[in-house]
Amino acid sequence: MHCVKKVTEDITWVGANDRRLAMFEGVYSVPDGVSYNAYLLLDEKTVLFDTVDKAVRHRYLENIAATLGDRKLDYLIVQHMEPDHTAEISSLVCLYPGMKIVCNAKTIAMMKQFYDFDIDSIAHIVTEGDTLDTGNHTLHFIMAPMVHWPEVMVTYDSAKKTLFSADAFGCFGALNGALFADEVDFDKDYLDELRRYYANIVGKYGTQVQSLLTKVSALEIEMICPLHGFVWRKDLSHVISKYALWSKYEPEENGVMIAYASVYGNTENTAEILAGKLRDDGIKTQMFDVSVTPASEIVSAAFRWSHLVFASTTYNAGIFVNMEALISDLTAHNIQNRTVAVIENGSWAPTSGGLIREQLGKCENMTILDNTLTITSALKTPQLPEVDAMAKSIAATFANASEQSPGEQTAAKNIDNAAMFKLSYGLFVLTAKDGDKDNGCIINTTLQVTSSPLRISIAVNKANFTHDMIVKTGVFNVSVLSESAPFSIFQQFGFHTGKDTDKFLECGYSDRANNGVRYVPIHTNAMISANVIDSYDYGSHTIFVADVTQASVLSKEPSVTYQYYFDHIKPKPQVSAAAKKGYVCKICGYVYEGEPLPEDFICPLCKHGAEDFEPL
Ligand code: FEO
């Protein structure tokens, strides 16, 4: 039975998942499986983007047949010749006579190396900048050599602003029903696998990834469809900025990765004492036993952290075997631009430290701290000062460097901390965007939770449509209303639902923050963009905790407080003589006639509860 997912109205994901594969490419463990993505465009012409690994061929062929229906297949675009994406070309050639294979000249040569069918008679060869018109879509071909093989190309659909990105932006892990990255808690559950995929598959080719990023930066991209993992349709700058860092070999975070090889636990013991001392200095640490953790995870961590410590026992007069493999893997993946410290152990002739230094010394921009800490069998009390000294010399490099890693600096560049000073028990326009839909509502609870990382919380009534949009997208903006805000803004955003109307169209604001979400640029003194990292269900409301991604001060006007709103903005309720008994909403002025006011009453205009009503 076919199992497909709609990407857009006329593009369907026709790939498949493999959760039984032990080792991807024979070397990378994939405990959560892997997806082989393929996409089928049903335009005036039908176009299939890539095939899949032979392990999932049946599902793939069923998916294509079901999606095509009685249409024929006009084109197969082969963006990457690696067999996990081309195993089914021969099947398609047999099943869909008349199909043309769109690829570049390098791909043709490789295709002949792998397969036996007559490619020349059905090839449609493209080069950089060529286009293919399929009716309503125009596909532009962009060469991306060495991302991951020399023949790789990507395809840009200018009609839907979609980039079919081949291996770029791929991620390990099978798709568990969700096709889009915004449907999952990506950073919590998948960022490590995105990084592990990047570091191990294309990490060696940073320069080539940079070239591709430069080429696609000229394009307006609203969706990225890679060959593995999730489709990106929201917050594209998040994944692109990760690629920008990794491809320049810049660390994402300041902190120390400690990888150790220990036969009887004594090298491990030294590494742990060092880790404890670093933590005492407030430095983040992550430790790996190279005999236990697959090298691909440690290589990935090396792309994450700014500092690397290698601690290895000596083995056969060399580096312990797993550590030797790790060091070789790291140098093969071009790791560079890190600060390194080395610990060696050896009961009679310790040599591992010198050898590690020698190998890592060949990498570019590596700062290898001067003193190797040498232990002979086990660390003894008199040597504790040496561990102290190593911790101090590592800490000193943090003190001398900027407090933030390049990754953290990129995020910080867009943040003006002064925007936080505008928060009060005030009133805010909370805005969100889901696809083409913009919306906003009024809230009165925005709090700064922590300053490092910069985090805020908001409480949002579940009756608000904006609430549901934030649950879905995890992204929002807060515009801090100032004292000049007229009552009309509160009416605009607070007293009716945006489900069926466009509140922004009505008010004419069109400014968007970097996250693509609108904000209110006038009668406000600050705007804050944030990505949700956690949420808490409190019955009528959800509290969202979110990392600040952008913050700007918009004016010097004071923030409007609740009190100011009541005293100066909200019109005084006009109570008719006939309606003497009842309650008035303190927020919007809605009058509830009758007594008593039900405890669970929700204002039909502004969605505030009974606690915000007062007797007439
Ligand atoms: Fe998924 Fe380079 O292939």
Side-chain angles (χ1 to χ4, degrees):
M1 179 64 186
H2 63 278
C3 177
V4 301
K5 296 281 281 188
K6 278 275 189 194
V7 180
T8 65
E9 206 170 297
D10 56 4
I11 298 174
T12 304
W13 177 85
V14 291
N17 295 297
D18 185 354
R19 296 182 183 81
R20 291 193 167 184
L21 181 67
M23 297 301 244
F24 182 78
E25 292 186 0
V27 61
Y28 306 117
S29 56
V30 277
D32 299 319
V34 66
S35 75
Y36 301 106
N37 296 344
Y39 307 91
L40 182 52
L41 166 65
L42 299 184
D43 198 4
E44 288 169 23
K45 297 289 184 187
T46 58
V47 184
L48 179 60
F49 291 84
D50 300 290
T51 87
V52 294
D53 190 86
K54 61 181 182 301
V56 294
R57 69 183 302 263
H58 291 296
R59 183 76 67 251
Y60 169 73
L61 294 174
E62 282 177 321
N63 287 348
I64 294 169
T67 308
L68 277 176
D70 55 7
R71 296 192 64 181
K72 66 188 178 70
L73 182 58
D74 295 307
Y75 295 106
L76 165 68
I77 296 179
V78 178
Q79 302 188 107
H80 180 16
M81 258 313 295
E82 196 164 8
D84 56 333
H85 307 295
T86 58
E88 290 314 303
I89 300 181
S90 310
S91 307
L92 296 172
V93 169
C94 294
L95 286 167
Y96 300 103
M99 175 191 82
K100 289 280 184 193
I101 295 183
V102 181
C103 59
N104 59 54
K106 280 187 200 156
T107 312
I108 298 263
M110 277 194 184
M111 214 174 282
K112 289 177 179 171
Q113 291 168 206
F114 276 104
Y115 306 115
D116 295 321
F117 56 85
D118 175 17
I119 173 65
D120 290 322
S121 64
I122 56 172
H124 176 105
I125 299 178
V126 294
T127 57
E128 178 81 26
D130 282 356
T131 58
L132 179 68
D133 194 337
T134 64
N136 295 315
H137 295 247
T138 304
L139 306 177
H140 304 248
F141 300 102
I142 300 163
M143 301 303 126
M146 299 318 298
V147 185
H148 149 224
W149 280 16
E151 85 301 348
V152 171
M153 65 181 194
V154 300
T155 309
Y156 177 64
D157 172 8
S158 50
K160 290 291 177 189
K161 299 184 173 64
T162 296
L163 181 71
F164 295 90
S165 63
D167 272 347
F169 308 110
C171 184
F172 287 131
L175 299 170
N176 296 308
L179 176 61
F180 299 99
D182 55 88
E183 295 177 287
V184 297
D185 191 339
F186 192 86
D187 278 7
K188 178 168 162 281
D189 296 330
Y190 293 97
L191 178 57
D192 285 346
E193 286 298 76
L194 181 83
R195 186 189 306 105
R196 188 165 73 95
Y197 183 90
Y198 175 87
N200 289 279
I201 305 299
V202 285
K204 180 179 180 61
Y205 306 111
T207 309
Q208 291 84 350
V209 172
Q210 283 277 303
S211 302
L212 176 60
L213 291 179
T214 303
K215 285 184 186 181
V216 300
S217 67
L219 307 172
E220 198 180 337
I221 299 174
E222 291 183 354
M223 186 153 59
I224 298 175
C225 297
L227 288 177
H228 300 286
F230 294 100
V231 170
W232 288 82
R233 65 181 173 184
K234 292 194 170 98
D235 206 10
L236 303 193
S237 60
H238 186 51
V239 66
I240 292 171
S241 65
K242 292 291 180 196
Y243 261 57
L245 279 177
W246 295 333
S247 59
K248 285 186 279 186
Y249 301 96
E250 288 183 349
E252 276 173 271
E253 288 185 69
N254 274 339
V256 183
M257 182 202 89
I258 302 176
Y260 64 86
S262 188
V263 177
Y264 296 107
N266 293 307
T267 310
E268 176 188 48
N269 175 239
T270 309
E272 286 192 326
I273 292 169
L274 175 68
K277 289 179 184 300
L278 290 168
R279 280 279 169 178
D280 289 345
D281 278 338
I283 295 169
K284 292 181 200 163
T285 50
Q286 186 177 24
M287 299 187 70
F288 296 102
D289 183 332
V290 299
S291 299
V292 175
T293 306
S296 68
E297 288 184 30
I298 310 177
V299 169
S300 174
F303 272 72
R304 174 182 179 185
W305 298 108
S306 58
H307 289 59
L308 313 176
V309 172
F310 298 95
S312 178
T313 189
T314 299
Y315 199 75
N316 289 334
I319 307 169
F320 183 80
V321 57
N322 291 30
M323 180 63 84
E324 188 169 39
L326 172 67
I327 300 285
S328 151
D329 223 359
L330 281 167
T331 55
H333 286 89
N334 247 339
I335 191 72
Q336 48 191 273
N337 204 24
R338 297 292 189 275
T339 301
V340 173
V342 178
I343 299 171
E344 65 178 356
N345 194 354
S347 293
W348 59 94
T351 59
S352 54
L355 294 168
I356 290 172
R357 298 177 77 91
E358 186 184 323
Q359 292 197 30
L360 290 177
K362 294 174 192 160
C363 301
E364 284 181 43
N365 294 326
M366 291 300 232
T367 304
I368 303 181
L369 298 181
D370 283 345
N371 295 324
T372 297
L373 172 57
T374 302
I375 50 176
T376 49
S377 302
L379 188 77
K380 295 292 162 67
T381 306
Q383 268 197 297
L384 274 177
E386 289 182 52
V387 185
D388 259 331
M390 176 170 272
K392 284 200 167 37
S393 61
I394 292 171
T397 63
F398 281 96
N400 293 337
S402 154
E403 284 184 6
Q404 291 175 315
S405 68
E408 291 158 336
Q409 285 168 22
T410 303
K413 216 166 42 185
N414 294 322
I415 291 174
D416 180 350
N417 281 314
M420 296 298 122
F421 306 150
K422 303 292 184 187
L423 298 178
S424 65
Y425 186 48
L427 290 157
F428 313 89
V429 182
L430 174 70
T431 46
K433 178 173 187 287
D434 179 15
D436 294 333
K437 178 69 180 171
D438 294 297
N439 198 36
C441 66
I442 301 283
I443 59 169
N444 59 5
T445 43
T446 302
L447 294 172
Q448 181 178 344
V449 178
T450 57
S451 55
S452 181
L454 189 54
R455 231 161 236 175
I456 58 172
S457 71
I458 54 171
V460 190
N461 192 309
K462 289 179 183 171
N464 283 314
F465 183 43
T466 312
H467 169 276
D468 299 345
M469 293 170 78
I470 294 171
V471 168
K472 189 168 169 200
T473 64
V475 178
F476 64 83
N477 289 342
V478 169
S479 302
V480 184
L481 288 163
S482 58
E483 289 183 354
S484 70
F487 189 59
S488 59
I489 283 194
F490 297 90
Q491 291 175 303
Q492 192 80 48
F493 288 99
F495 300 172
H496 65 115
T497 178
K499 261 184 195 149
D500 313 313
T501 55
D502 183 343
K503 295 182 178 180
F504 283 91
L505 195 64
E506 291 167 9
C507 63
Y509 308 137
S510 60
D511 300 54
R512 290 187 188 277
N514 294 347
N515 59 8
V517 178
R518 289 194 196 280
Y519 64 96
V520 177
I522 58 172
H523 305 304
T524 50
N525 60 22
M527 63 74 60
I528 298 164
S529 301
N531 288 349
V532 174
I533 58 159
D534 228 332
S535 63
Y536 304 90
D537 187 335
Y538 283 103
S540 63
H541 287 64
T542 299
I543 292 182
F544 297 99
V545 178
D547 280 339
V548 174
T549 56
Q550 185 184 355
S552 305
V553 171
L554 304 176
S555 81
K556 291 182 175 170
E557 279 188 322
S559 303
V560 69
T561 61
Y562 231 38
Q563 193 60 49
Y564 187 92
Y565 170 77
F566 292 133
D567 294 345
H568 302 283
I569 299 176
K570 189 186 71 138
K572 303 290 176 240
Q574 302 296 312
V575 183
S576 73
K580 285 266 180 0
K581 294 213 160 143
Y583 293 82
V584 60
C585 175
K586 290 188 281 180
I587 310 301
C588 67
Y590 173 81
V591 173
Y592 174 87
E593 293 181 22
E595 220 167 13
L597 179 69
E599 278 179 17
D600 59 353
F601 187 76
I602 301 284
C603 175
L605 289 184
C606 68
K607 314 292 185 227
H608 281 242
E611 69 279 4
D612 283 318
F613 278 71
E614 61 189 4
L616 286 171

